Amino acid sequence: MRLSVDASIARARSRADSVSRALADASRSADKRRRPALRRAGRDMRADADADAAPRAASADANARVVGADASDARDARNDAVRGRDVEGDVDRARDGDAPTVSSVVDALVKHHLAEREGKRTSRMPSHEFWETQPVRQFGEDTSRGAELREGPIDPPKLASETSESGGALPPGYEWCSCDMTDSRTQEEVYELLTNNYVEDDDAMFRFQYSQEFLKWALRPPEYHGDWHVGVRLKVTQTLVAFITGVPAKLRVKGKEIDLAEINFLCIHKKLRSKRIAPTLIKEITRRVNAKDVWQATYTAGVLLPKPISKARYWHRSLDIKKLVDIGFTRLGRDASMSRAVQMFKLAAKPKSEGLRHMTEADVPRVTALLSKYLTRFAVAPIMNEAEVRHWLLPREDVVFSYVVEDEKTNKITDFVSFYNLPSQIIHSKTKHKTLKAAYSYYNVATSMPLVKLMEDALILARNNAFDVFNALDLMENESFLSALNFGIGDGNLHYYLYNWRILEDLEPSEIALVLT
Ligand code: MYA
């Protein structure tokens, strides 16, 4: 299974190669002024991605939290194929008499690749009819020194009383509602909607399955607002068909403290997709958030929208490799045997750190102090008071798992480790397994030991709680343990966004300390 790591690196290289190949193919095609050659550029790359199979690893990802390097290759190949089609446009134009030279086509492609890498807008990029009207960073805006733009709010402050009182127009037959997450019937409706329609991996093999207990936890933090749990119902039957939520939070962004909404669980029933309902939902939650005098928001998504402040990656650590291979989450490399893989992912029977125990109510003040101090190191991090630490970090059965190490002499909490439980359903399971049990790394602080040691204990605890895989983003100091503990890189990006707050430069994931559920 060492192959999986090797294969990830090989894939990164092969992606770079595929860009060169795309350019070369494009150049050849333009030369011949033939469309099929360009189509082939896309197809060939897809075939390469499929052939290079090693760890298939795919998982539903929070907002595309997906494992599976070959899926990412395939997506890159698809993107390249789209770019190939762009070139076809050039070729068409050529036929119309405006003939591009080989070098002009190649130049255009190179320019596009470079611009895309820098997050700039080019005519070849998809336009964002909705997002281009919103107070968010835009691709291609001039953020260089001396340019007009400043860090901070994008729209000037308004008055909550200026916010309109009624929601945007839904298609006929639908109506707005607030989903009362204290009501068990409503919880069940939300659970059903998400279970059948929320985030899937690219190959539609896995879909997030947030439990009702999890949803209650994620949506009812201190000071939450019931009307920030926005639903859309079919008028006649009252069926819940769409959802978006906000919860209040405080974030420190490059030294500035911002009261904002964390937006999550945007979901539209599969039968109502591509009807521009998402922008209507987003405008409605914006209206309801603004009505509470809150003007900023943060959110994460797998999709690339204008314009992330950072791009993180999921990494995956197998805990039950046999099951992961059985369900198609992981594929063993050509030369890897199951017995070697089992050996590679073997963990000790119990945690190694002396004194590691469950976090309790009495730990709340000391965990708050430890975490608050630690989080000041990062450019973007939540600011949590004791009530919020109690809510987000005290253990909750089958939802959030938190442990501390207490120094016996000083009674200080020296270390804290936590993860949450977000299973995915296996959509077309061909085995007895119906669910992938995934633990997601949450907030961790190590002061009495290296982080890698604390996280090894987290893996053991997760395995002892019957999780199949442990997922972690490359945020904060996580890179210090990912490779060392045999995590494999996933394929989905998780983009971090701020609404109505500009920062001028993109941040590294290691500068981000925000984990949204
Ligand atoms: S991320 C999780 C998102 N959910 C899923 O992936 C579940 C499965 N998918 C679906 O349910 C639908 O495909 C969704 C889109 C609902 C995603 N974030 O209605 P449409 C833009 C933001 O025709 P549909 C999460 O929960 C798209 O670029 N925008 O599309 C965080 C296009 O706009 P533009 C998205 O496929 C959510 C427009 O929608 C996303 O039927 C943060 C198309 O609309 C996305 N994930 O539905 C929300 N996906 O033309 C933003 C597509 O411009 C919050 N789109 O490209 C902003 C802050 C608001 C509060 C502010 C307070 C101050």
Side-chain angles (χ1 to χ4, degrees), residues 126-134 168-171 176 232 242 266 268-269 271-284 305-306:
S127 67
H128 292 281
E129 199 185 304
F130 169 67
W131 280 108
E132 282 165 12
T133 67
Q134 296 301 294
L170 284 168
W176 295 112
V232 173
L266 167 61
I268 294 175
H269 193 287
K271 293 203 169 139
L272 293 176
R273 298 274 168 89
S274 304
K275 296 181 189 304
R276 312 294 305 179
I277 294 174
T280 313
L281 278 167
I282 293 167
K283 282 189 263 181
E284 176 61 8
L305 305 164

PDB file of all heavy atoms in Angstrom, residues 126-134 168-171 176 232 242 266 268-269 271-284 305-306:
ATOM      1  N   PRO A 126     -15.496  29.934 -17.019  1.00  0.00           N
ATOM      2  CA  PRO A 126     -16.955  30.035 -16.963  1.00  0.00           C
ATOM      3  C   PRO A 126     -17.342  31.327 -16.270  1.00  0.00           C
ATOM      4  O   PRO A 126     -16.674  31.756 -15.326  1.00  0.00           O
ATOM      5  CB  PRO A 126     -17.348  28.830 -16.096  1.00  0.00           C
ATOM      6  CG  PRO A 126     -16.110  28.463 -15.357  1.00  0.00           C
ATOM      7  CD  PRO A 126     -14.956  28.874 -16.202  1.00  0.00           C
ATOM      8  N   SER A 127     -18.410  31.965 -16.760  1.00  0.00           N
ATOM      9  CA  SER A 127     -18.836  33.174 -16.064  1.00  0.00           C
ATOM     10  C   SER A 127     -19.760  32.745 -14.929  1.00  0.00           C
ATOM     11  O   SER A 127     -20.296  31.636 -14.932  1.00  0.00           O
ATOM     12  CB  SER A 127     -19.551  34.107 -17.027  1.00  0.00           C
ATOM     13  OG  SER A 127     -20.744  33.499 -17.421  1.00  0.00           O
ATOM     14  N   HIS A 128     -19.889  33.604 -13.966  1.00  0.00           N
ATOM     15  CA  HIS A 128     -20.723  33.313 -12.800  1.00  0.00           C
ATOM     16  C   HIS A 128     -21.786  34.395 -12.697  1.00  0.00           C
ATOM     17  O   HIS A 128     -21.607  35.390 -12.004  1.00  0.00           O
ATOM     18  CB  HIS A 128     -19.863  33.266 -11.530  1.00  0.00           C
ATOM     19  CG  HIS A 128     -18.932  32.098 -11.502  1.00  0.00           C
ATOM     20  ND1 HIS A 128     -19.354  30.833 -11.173  1.00  0.00           N
ATOM     21  CD2 HIS A 128     -17.620  32.004 -11.784  1.00  0.00           C
ATOM     22  CE1 HIS A 128     -18.332  29.998 -11.242  1.00  0.00           C
ATOM     23  NE2 HIS A 128     -17.263  30.676 -11.618  1.00  0.00           N
ATOM     24  N   GLU A 129     -22.865  34.138 -13.411  1.00  0.00           N
ATOM     25  CA  GLU A 129     -23.948  35.110 -13.528  1.00  0.00           C
ATOM     26  C   GLU A 129     -24.358  35.654 -12.160  1.00  0.00           C
ATOM     27  O   GLU A 129     -24.575  36.846 -11.997  1.00  0.00           O
ATOM     28  CB  GLU A 129     -25.131  34.386 -14.163  1.00  0.00           C
ATOM     29  CG  GLU A 129     -26.174  35.247 -14.784  1.00  0.00           C
ATOM     30  CD  GLU A 129     -27.319  34.350 -15.260  1.00  0.00           C
ATOM     31  OE1 GLU A 129     -27.064  33.414 -16.059  1.00  0.00           O
ATOM     32  OE2 GLU A 129     -28.437  34.576 -14.790  1.00  0.00           O
ATOM     33  N   PHE A 130     -24.448  34.747 -11.174  1.00  0.00           N
ATOM     34  CA  PHE A 130     -24.863  35.178  -9.835  1.00  0.00           C
ATOM     35  C   PHE A 130     -23.679  35.714  -9.040  1.00  0.00           C
ATOM     36  O   PHE A 130     -23.712  36.843  -8.534  1.00  0.00           O
ATOM     37  CB  PHE A 130     -25.524  34.016  -9.088  1.00  0.00           C
ATOM     38  CG  PHE A 130     -25.727  34.296  -7.624  1.00  0.00           C
ATOM     39  CD1 PHE A 130     -26.627  35.276  -7.222  1.00  0.00           C
ATOM     40  CD2 PHE A 130     -25.015  33.607  -6.652  1.00  0.00           C
ATOM     41  CE1 PHE A 130     -26.814  35.556  -5.867  1.00  0.00           C
ATOM     42  CE2 PHE A 130     -25.193  33.880  -5.308  1.00  0.00           C
ATOM     43  CZ  PHE A 130     -26.102  34.862  -4.911  1.00  0.00           C
ATOM     44  N   TRP A 131     -22.628  34.920  -8.964  1.00  0.00           N
ATOM     45  CA  TRP A 131     -21.547  35.279  -8.047  1.00  0.00           C
ATOM     46  C   TRP A 131     -20.841  36.572  -8.453  1.00  0.00           C
ATOM     47  O   TRP A 131     -20.285  37.276  -7.621  1.00  0.00           O
ATOM     48  CB  TRP A 131     -20.566  34.112  -7.876  1.00  0.00           C
ATOM     49  CG  TRP A 131     -21.135  33.130  -6.905  1.00  0.00           C
ATOM     50  CD1 TRP A 131     -21.632  31.894  -7.180  1.00  0.00           C
ATOM     51  CD2 TRP A 131     -21.331  33.348  -5.499  1.00  0.00           C
ATOM     52  NE1 TRP A 131     -22.125  31.313  -6.029  1.00  0.00           N
ATOM     53  CE2 TRP A 131     -21.956  32.193  -4.991  1.00  0.00           C
ATOM     54  CE3 TRP A 131     -21.056  34.400  -4.633  1.00  0.00           C
ATOM     55  CZ2 TRP A 131     -22.290  32.060  -3.643  1.00  0.00           C
ATOM     56  CZ3 TRP A 131     -21.387  34.274  -3.293  1.00  0.00           C
ATOM     57  CH2 TRP A 131     -22.001  33.119  -2.816  1.00  0.00           C
ATOM     58  N   GLU A 132     -20.916  36.910  -9.744  1.00  0.00           N
ATOM     59  CA  GLU A 132     -20.276  38.153 -10.163  1.00  0.00           C
ATOM     60  C   GLU A 132     -21.046  39.384  -9.682  1.00  0.00           C
ATOM     61  O   GLU A 132     -20.543  40.499  -9.742  1.00  0.00           O
ATOM     62  CB  GLU A 132     -20.121  38.175 -11.690  1.00  0.00           C
ATOM     63  CG  GLU A 132     -18.937  37.310 -12.102  1.00  0.00           C
ATOM     64  CD  GLU A 132     -18.902  36.979 -13.579  1.00  0.00           C
ATOM     65  OE1 GLU A 132     -19.665  37.595 -14.348  1.00  0.00           O
ATOM     66  OE2 GLU A 132     -18.108  36.097 -13.953  1.00  0.00           O
ATOM     67  N   THR A 133     -22.271  39.167  -9.185  1.00  0.00           N
ATOM     68  CA  THR A 133     -23.046  40.310  -8.663  1.00  0.00           C
ATOM     69  C   THR A 133     -22.919  40.428  -7.145  1.00  0.00           C
ATOM     70  O   THR A 133     -23.521  41.303  -6.536  1.00  0.00           O
ATOM     71  CB  THR A 133     -24.545  40.146  -8.982  1.00  0.00           C
ATOM     72  OG1 THR A 133     -25.043  39.010  -8.224  1.00  0.00           O
ATOM     73  CG2 THR A 133     -24.797  39.907 -10.458  1.00  0.00           C
ATOM     74  N   GLN A 134     -22.184  39.528  -6.532  1.00  0.00           N
ATOM     75  CA  GLN A 134     -22.150  39.466  -5.066  1.00  0.00           C
ATOM     76  C   GLN A 134     -20.880  40.120  -4.491  1.00  0.00           C
ATOM     77  O   GLN A 134     -19.847  40.161  -5.165  1.00  0.00           O
ATOM     78  CB  GLN A 134     -22.206  38.001  -4.613  1.00  0.00           C
ATOM     79  CG  GLN A 134     -23.502  37.304  -4.977  1.00  0.00           C
ATOM     80  CD  GLN A 134     -24.709  37.997  -4.364  1.00  0.00           C
ATOM     81  OE1 GLN A 134     -24.867  38.022  -3.153  1.00  0.00           O
ATOM     82  NE2 GLN A 134     -25.565  38.572  -5.204  1.00  0.00           N
ATOM     83  N   GLY A 168     -37.051  36.448  -1.597  1.00  0.00           N
ATOM     84  CA  GLY A 168     -37.018  36.516  -3.059  1.00  0.00           C
ATOM     85  C   GLY A 168     -38.050  35.587  -3.672  1.00  0.00           C
ATOM     86  O   GLY A 168     -38.630  34.739  -2.992  1.00  0.00           O
ATOM     87  N   ALA A 169     -38.270  35.751  -4.975  1.00  0.00           N
ATOM     88  CA  ALA A 169     -39.315  34.983  -5.655  1.00  0.00           C
ATOM     89  C   ALA A 169     -38.866  33.558  -5.937  1.00  0.00           C
ATOM     90  O   ALA A 169     -37.829  33.337  -6.551  1.00  0.00           O
ATOM     91  CB  ALA A 169     -39.686  35.686  -6.950  1.00  0.00           C
ATOM     92  N   LEU A 170     -39.662  32.619  -5.470  1.00  0.00           N
ATOM     93  CA  LEU A 170     -39.429  31.201  -5.768  1.00  0.00           C
ATOM     94  C   LEU A 170     -40.279  30.835  -6.986  1.00  0.00           C
ATOM     95  O   LEU A 170     -41.249  31.531  -7.295  1.00  0.00           O
ATOM     96  CB  LEU A 170     -39.862  30.355  -4.568  1.00  0.00           C
ATOM     97  CG  LEU A 170     -38.921  30.347  -3.375  1.00  0.00           C
ATOM     98  CD1 LEU A 170     -39.614  29.712  -2.167  1.00  0.00           C
ATOM     99  CD2 LEU A 170     -37.625  29.599  -3.710  1.00  0.00           C
ATOM    100  N   PRO A 171     -39.950  29.726  -7.650  1.00  0.00           N
ATOM    101  CA  PRO A 171     -40.838  29.288  -8.728  1.00  0.00           C
ATOM    102  C   PRO A 171     -42.252  29.083  -8.177  1.00  0.00           C
ATOM    103  O   PRO A 171     -42.412  28.757  -6.996  1.00  0.00           O
ATOM    104  CB  PRO A 171     -40.226  27.946  -9.164  1.00  0.00           C
ATOM    105  CG  PRO A 171     -38.827  27.932  -8.643  1.00  0.00           C
ATOM    106  CD  PRO A 171     -38.815  28.809  -7.438  1.00  0.00           C
ATOM    107  N   TRP A 176     -41.290  29.649   1.114  1.00  0.00           N
ATOM    108  CA  TRP A 176     -40.219  29.672   2.117  1.00  0.00           C
ATOM    109  C   TRP A 176     -40.726  29.129   3.447  1.00  0.00           C
ATOM    110  O   TRP A 176     -41.903  29.277   3.769  1.00  0.00           O
ATOM    111  CB  TRP A 176     -39.729  31.107   2.372  1.00  0.00           C
ATOM    112  CG  TRP A 176     -39.067  31.756   1.198  1.00  0.00           C
ATOM    113  CD1 TRP A 176     -39.546  32.815   0.471  1.00  0.00           C
ATOM    114  CD2 TRP A 176     -37.809  31.400   0.623  1.00  0.00           C
ATOM    115  NE1 TRP A 176     -38.659  33.124  -0.534  1.00  0.00           N
ATOM    116  CE2 TRP A 176     -37.578  32.273  -0.454  1.00  0.00           C
ATOM    117  CE3 TRP A 176     -36.851  30.427   0.903  1.00  0.00           C
ATOM    118  CZ2 TRP A 176     -36.443  32.214  -1.252  1.00  0.00           C
ATOM    119  CZ3 TRP A 176     -35.720  30.364   0.117  1.00  0.00           C
ATOM    120  CH2 TRP A 176     -35.523  31.245  -0.942  1.00  0.00           C
ATOM    121  N   VAL A 232     -37.265  25.385   1.710  1.00  0.00           N
ATOM    122  CA  VAL A 232     -38.256  25.640   0.664  1.00  0.00           C
ATOM    123  C   VAL A 232     -39.162  24.417   0.627  1.00  0.00           C
ATOM    124  O   VAL A 232     -38.670  23.286   0.610  1.00  0.00           O
ATOM    125  CB  VAL A 232     -37.578  25.839  -0.714  1.00  0.00           C
ATOM    126  CG1 VAL A 232     -38.630  25.938  -1.818  1.00  0.00           C
ATOM    127  CG2 VAL A 232     -36.686  27.069  -0.713  1.00  0.00           C
ATOM    128  N   ALA A 242     -35.685  22.068  -0.463  1.00  0.00           N
ATOM    129  CA  ALA A 242     -34.392  22.774  -0.501  1.00  0.00           C
ATOM    130  C   ALA A 242     -34.096  23.333   0.875  1.00  0.00           C
ATOM    131  O   ALA A 242     -35.005  23.556   1.691  1.00  0.00           O
ATOM    132  CB  ALA A 242     -34.421  23.884  -1.538  1.00  0.00           C
ATOM    133  N   LEU A 266     -26.292  23.815   2.090  1.00  0.00           N
ATOM    134  CA  LEU A 266     -27.034  24.228   0.899  1.00  0.00           C
ATOM    135  C   LEU A 266     -27.375  22.969   0.107  1.00  0.00           C
ATOM    136  O   LEU A 266     -26.489  22.212  -0.277  1.00  0.00           O
ATOM    137  CB  LEU A 266     -26.156  25.168   0.049  1.00  0.00           C
ATOM    138  CG  LEU A 266     -26.634  25.462  -1.364  1.00  0.00           C
ATOM    139  CD1 LEU A 266     -27.997  26.141  -1.365  1.00  0.00           C
ATOM    140  CD2 LEU A 266     -25.613  26.344  -2.086  1.00  0.00           C
ATOM    141  N   ILE A 268     -30.393  21.244  -2.702  1.00  0.00           N
ATOM    142  CA  ILE A 268     -31.613  21.308  -3.515  1.00  0.00           C
ATOM    143  C   ILE A 268     -31.943  19.894  -3.981  1.00  0.00           C
ATOM    144  O   ILE A 268     -31.041  19.167  -4.431  1.00  0.00           O
ATOM    145  CB  ILE A 268     -31.410  22.259  -4.718  1.00  0.00           C
ATOM    146  CG1 ILE A 268     -31.215  23.693  -4.207  1.00  0.00           C
ATOM    147  CG2 ILE A 268     -32.594  22.200  -5.681  1.00  0.00           C
ATOM    148  CD1 ILE A 268     -30.878  24.702  -5.275  1.00  0.00           C
ATOM    149  N   HIS A 269     -33.174  19.537  -3.865  1.00  0.00           N
ATOM    150  CA  HIS A 269     -33.617  18.210  -4.294  1.00  0.00           C
ATOM    151  C   HIS A 269     -33.135  17.947  -5.724  1.00  0.00           C
ATOM    152  O   HIS A 269     -33.157  18.842  -6.573  1.00  0.00           O
ATOM    153  CB  HIS A 269     -35.153  18.146  -4.238  1.00  0.00           C
ATOM    154  CG  HIS A 269     -35.683  16.758  -4.368  1.00  0.00           C
ATOM    155  ND1 HIS A 269     -35.677  16.066  -5.561  1.00  0.00           N
ATOM    156  CD2 HIS A 269     -36.208  15.918  -3.444  1.00  0.00           C
ATOM    157  CE1 HIS A 269     -36.188  14.868  -5.383  1.00  0.00           C
ATOM    158  NE2 HIS A 269     -36.510  14.742  -4.098  1.00  0.00           N
ATOM    159  N   LYS A 271     -34.329  16.650  -8.228  1.00  0.00           N
ATOM    160  CA  LYS A 271     -35.243  16.917  -9.345  1.00  0.00           C
ATOM    161  C   LYS A 271     -35.388  18.405  -9.633  1.00  0.00           C
ATOM    162  O   LYS A 271     -36.020  18.786 -10.615  1.00  0.00           O
ATOM    163  CB  LYS A 271     -36.616  16.309  -9.055  1.00  0.00           C
ATOM    164  CG  LYS A 271     -36.566  14.798  -9.029  1.00  0.00           C
ATOM    165  CD  LYS A 271     -37.910  14.182  -9.291  1.00  0.00           C
ATOM    166  CE  LYS A 271     -37.760  12.694  -9.530  1.00  0.00           C
ATOM    167  NZ  LYS A 271     -38.803  11.904  -8.901  1.00  0.00           N
ATOM    168  N   LEU A 272     -34.853  19.237  -8.738  1.00  0.00           N
ATOM    169  CA  LEU A 272     -35.022  20.689  -8.935  1.00  0.00           C
ATOM    170  C   LEU A 272     -33.697  21.382  -9.242  1.00  0.00           C
ATOM    171  O   LEU A 272     -33.569  22.600  -9.069  1.00  0.00           O
ATOM    172  CB  LEU A 272     -35.634  21.319  -7.679  1.00  0.00           C
ATOM    173  CG  LEU A 272     -37.060  20.904  -7.361  1.00  0.00           C
ATOM    174  CD1 LEU A 272     -37.510  21.517  -6.054  1.00  0.00           C
ATOM    175  CD2 LEU A 272     -37.995  21.333  -8.486  1.00  0.00           C
ATOM    176  N   ARG A 273     -32.738  20.628  -9.693  1.00  0.00           N
ATOM    177  CA  ARG A 273     -31.414  21.194  -9.965  1.00  0.00           C
ATOM    178  C   ARG A 273     -31.404  22.037 -11.249  1.00  0.00           C
ATOM    179  O   ARG A 273     -32.243  21.854 -12.130  1.00  0.00           O
ATOM    180  CB  ARG A 273     -30.370  20.067 -10.098  1.00  0.00           C
ATOM    181  CG  ARG A 273     -30.188  19.233  -8.841  1.00  0.00           C
ATOM    182  CD  ARG A 273     -29.182  19.841  -7.892  1.00  0.00           C
ATOM    183  NE  ARG A 273     -29.242  19.177  -6.585  1.00  0.00           N
ATOM    184  CZ  ARG A 273     -28.533  18.102  -6.247  1.00  0.00           C
ATOM    185  NH1 ARG A 273     -27.692  17.565  -7.129  1.00  0.00           N
ATOM    186  NH2 ARG A 273     -28.614  17.590  -5.044  1.00  0.00           N
ATOM    187  N   SER A 274     -30.398  22.890 -11.311  1.00  0.00           N
ATOM    188  CA  SER A 274     -30.117  23.718 -12.507  1.00  0.00           C
ATOM    189  C   SER A 274     -31.274  24.631 -12.879  1.00  0.00           C
ATOM    190  O   SER A 274     -31.513  24.918 -14.050  1.00  0.00           O
ATOM    191  CB  SER A 274     -29.750  22.837 -13.715  1.00  0.00           C
ATOM    192  OG  SER A 274     -28.665  22.016 -13.386  1.00  0.00           O
ATOM    193  N   LYS A 275     -32.029  25.070 -11.883  1.00  0.00           N
ATOM    194  CA  LYS A 275     -33.144  25.992 -12.146  1.00  0.00           C
ATOM    195  C   LYS A 275     -32.875  27.333 -11.481  1.00  0.00           C
ATOM    196  O   LYS A 275     -33.794  28.111 -11.262  1.00  0.00           O
ATOM    197  CB  LYS A 275     -34.452  25.412 -11.609  1.00  0.00           C
ATOM    198  CG  LYS A 275     -34.894  24.134 -12.298  1.00  0.00           C
ATOM    199  CD  LYS A 275     -36.214  23.654 -11.713  1.00  0.00           C
ATOM    200  CE  LYS A 275     -36.590  22.279 -12.206  1.00  0.00           C
ATOM    201  NZ  LYS A 275     -36.671  22.151 -13.657  1.00  0.00           N
ATOM    202  N   ARG A 276     -31.631  27.583 -11.113  1.00  0.00           N
ATOM    203  CA  ARG A 276     -31.211  28.845 -10.476  1.00  0.00           C
ATOM    204  C   ARG A 276     -31.937  29.065  -9.144  1.00  0.00           C
ATOM    205  O   ARG A 276     -32.225  30.198  -8.763  1.00  0.00           O
ATOM    206  CB  ARG A 276     -31.440  30.051 -11.411  1.00  0.00           C
ATOM    207  CG  ARG A 276     -30.939  29.894 -12.829  1.00  0.00           C
ATOM    208  CD  ARG A 276     -29.463  29.797 -12.953  1.00  0.00           C
ATOM    209  NE  ARG A 276     -28.688  30.867 -12.362  1.00  0.00           N
ATOM    210  CZ  ARG A 276     -27.348  30.895 -12.379  1.00  0.00           C
ATOM    211  NH1 ARG A 276     -26.673  29.903 -12.957  1.00  0.00           N
ATOM    212  NH2 ARG A 276     -26.693  31.879 -11.815  1.00  0.00           N
ATOM    213  N   ILE A 277     -32.233  27.972  -8.455  1.00  0.00           N
ATOM    214  CA  ILE A 277     -32.842  28.127  -7.123  1.00  0.00           C
ATOM    215  C   ILE A 277     -31.748  28.435  -6.085  1.00  0.00           C
ATOM    216  O   ILE A 277     -31.993  29.142  -5.106  1.00  0.00           O
ATOM    217  CB  ILE A 277     -33.643  26.860  -6.749  1.00  0.00           C
ATOM    218  CG1 ILE A 277     -34.835  26.723  -7.688  1.00  0.00           C
ATOM    219  CG2 ILE A 277     -34.131  26.898  -5.298  1.00  0.00           C
ATOM    220  CD1 ILE A 277     -35.630  25.441  -7.507  1.00  0.00           C
ATOM    221  N   ALA A 278     -30.530  27.937  -6.331  1.00  0.00           N
ATOM    222  CA  ALA A 278     -29.452  28.172  -5.359  1.00  0.00           C
ATOM    223  C   ALA A 278     -29.223  29.675  -5.114  1.00  0.00           C
ATOM    224  O   ALA A 278     -29.182  30.106  -3.954  1.00  0.00           O
ATOM    225  CB  ALA A 278     -28.165  27.470  -5.800  1.00  0.00           C
ATOM    226  N   PRO A 279     -29.102  30.487  -6.178  1.00  0.00           N
ATOM    227  CA  PRO A 279     -28.935  31.918  -5.912  1.00  0.00           C
ATOM    228  C   PRO A 279     -30.090  32.507  -5.096  1.00  0.00           C
ATOM    229  O   PRO A 279     -29.880  33.374  -4.241  1.00  0.00           O
ATOM    230  CB  PRO A 279     -28.886  32.535  -7.323  1.00  0.00           C
ATOM    231  CG  PRO A 279     -28.348  31.436  -8.189  1.00  0.00           C
ATOM    232  CD  PRO A 279     -28.924  30.170  -7.619  1.00  0.00           C
ATOM    233  N   THR A 280     -31.308  32.013  -5.334  1.00  0.00           N
ATOM    234  CA  THR A 280     -32.463  32.523  -4.574  1.00  0.00           C
ATOM    235  C   THR A 280     -32.322  32.149  -3.096  1.00  0.00           C
ATOM    236  O   THR A 280     -32.602  32.973  -2.201  1.00  0.00           O
ATOM    237  CB  THR A 280     -33.778  31.929  -5.141  1.00  0.00           C
ATOM    238  OG1 THR A 280     -33.737  32.059  -6.548  1.00  0.00           O
ATOM    239  CG2 THR A 280     -34.988  32.620  -4.594  1.00  0.00           C
ATOM    240  N   LEU A 281     -31.874  30.916  -2.846  1.00  0.00           N
ATOM    241  CA  LEU A 281     -31.664  30.489  -1.448  1.00  0.00           C
ATOM    242  C   LEU A 281     -30.576  31.341  -0.785  1.00  0.00           C
ATOM    243  O   LEU A 281     -30.699  31.750   0.374  1.00  0.00           O
ATOM    244  CB  LEU A 281     -31.202  29.026  -1.418  1.00  0.00           C
ATOM    245  CG  LEU A 281     -32.267  27.952  -1.528  1.00  0.00           C
ATOM    246  CD1 LEU A 281     -31.633  26.609  -1.810  1.00  0.00           C
ATOM    247  CD2 LEU A 281     -33.082  27.872  -0.238  1.00  0.00           C
ATOM    248  N   ILE A 282     -29.513  31.588  -1.538  1.00  0.00           N
ATOM    249  CA  ILE A 282     -28.388  32.356  -0.976  1.00  0.00           C
ATOM    250  C   ILE A 282     -28.827  33.788  -0.679  1.00  0.00           C
ATOM    251  O   ILE A 282     -28.500  34.358   0.361  1.00  0.00           O
ATOM    252  CB  ILE A 282     -27.177  32.295  -1.938  1.00  0.00           C
ATOM    253  CG1 ILE A 282     -26.645  30.853  -1.993  1.00  0.00           C
ATOM    254  CG2 ILE A 282     -26.077  33.257  -1.496  1.00  0.00           C
ATOM    255  CD1 ILE A 282     -25.661  30.557  -3.112  1.00  0.00           C
ATOM    256  N   LYS A 283     -29.650  34.361  -1.595  1.00  0.00           N
ATOM    257  CA  LYS A 283     -30.128  35.728  -1.346  1.00  0.00           C
ATOM    258  C   LYS A 283     -31.052  35.758  -0.127  1.00  0.00           C
ATOM    259  O   LYS A 283     -31.036  36.703   0.657  1.00  0.00           O
ATOM    260  CB  LYS A 283     -30.852  36.267  -2.587  1.00  0.00           C
ATOM    261  CG  LYS A 283     -29.853  36.718  -3.666  1.00  0.00           C
ATOM    262  CD  LYS A 283     -30.535  37.449  -4.790  1.00  0.00           C
ATOM    263  CE  LYS A 283     -30.804  36.498  -5.927  1.00  0.00           C
ATOM    264  NZ  LYS A 283     -31.435  37.039  -7.096  1.00  0.00           N
ATOM    265  N   GLU A 284     -31.834  34.689   0.043  1.00  0.00           N
ATOM    266  CA  GLU A 284     -32.757  34.649   1.185  1.00  0.00           C
ATOM    267  C   GLU A 284     -31.997  34.523   2.509  1.00  0.00           C
ATOM    268  O   GLU A 284     -32.316  35.213   3.482  1.00  0.00           O
ATOM    269  CB  GLU A 284     -33.764  33.505   1.011  1.00  0.00           C
ATOM    270  CG  GLU A 284     -34.726  33.307   2.176  1.00  0.00           C
ATOM    271  CD  GLU A 284     -35.625  34.515   2.453  1.00  0.00           C
ATOM    272  OE1 GLU A 284     -35.633  35.472   1.672  1.00  0.00           O
ATOM    273  OE2 GLU A 284     -36.310  34.507   3.504  1.00  0.00           O
ATOM    274  N   LEU A 305     -15.661  28.894  -6.898  1.00  0.00           N
ATOM    275  CA  LEU A 305     -16.526  30.040  -7.151  1.00  0.00           C
ATOM    276  C   LEU A 305     -15.664  31.288  -6.970  1.00  0.00           C
ATOM    277  O   LEU A 305     -14.579  31.221  -6.398  1.00  0.00           O
ATOM    278  CB  LEU A 305     -17.658  30.074  -6.109  1.00  0.00           C
ATOM    279  CG  LEU A 305     -18.515  28.806  -5.983  1.00  0.00           C
ATOM    280  CD1 LEU A 305     -19.304  28.822  -4.687  1.00  0.00           C
ATOM    281  CD2 LEU A 305     -19.459  28.712  -7.178  1.00  0.00           C
ATOM    282  N   PRO A 306     -16.150  32.461  -7.393  1.00  0.00           N
ATOM    283  CA  PRO A 306     -15.387  33.676  -7.079  1.00  0.00           C
ATOM    284  C   PRO A 306     -15.437  33.937  -5.589  1.00  0.00           C
ATOM    285  O   PRO A 306     -16.525  33.918  -5.044  1.00  0.00           O
ATOM    286  CB  PRO A 306     -16.138  34.760  -7.838  1.00  0.00           C
ATOM    287  CG  PRO A 306     -16.964  34.029  -8.875  1.00  0.00           C
ATOM    288  CD  PRO A 306     -17.309  32.726  -8.255  1.00  0.00           C
TER     289      PRO A 306
END
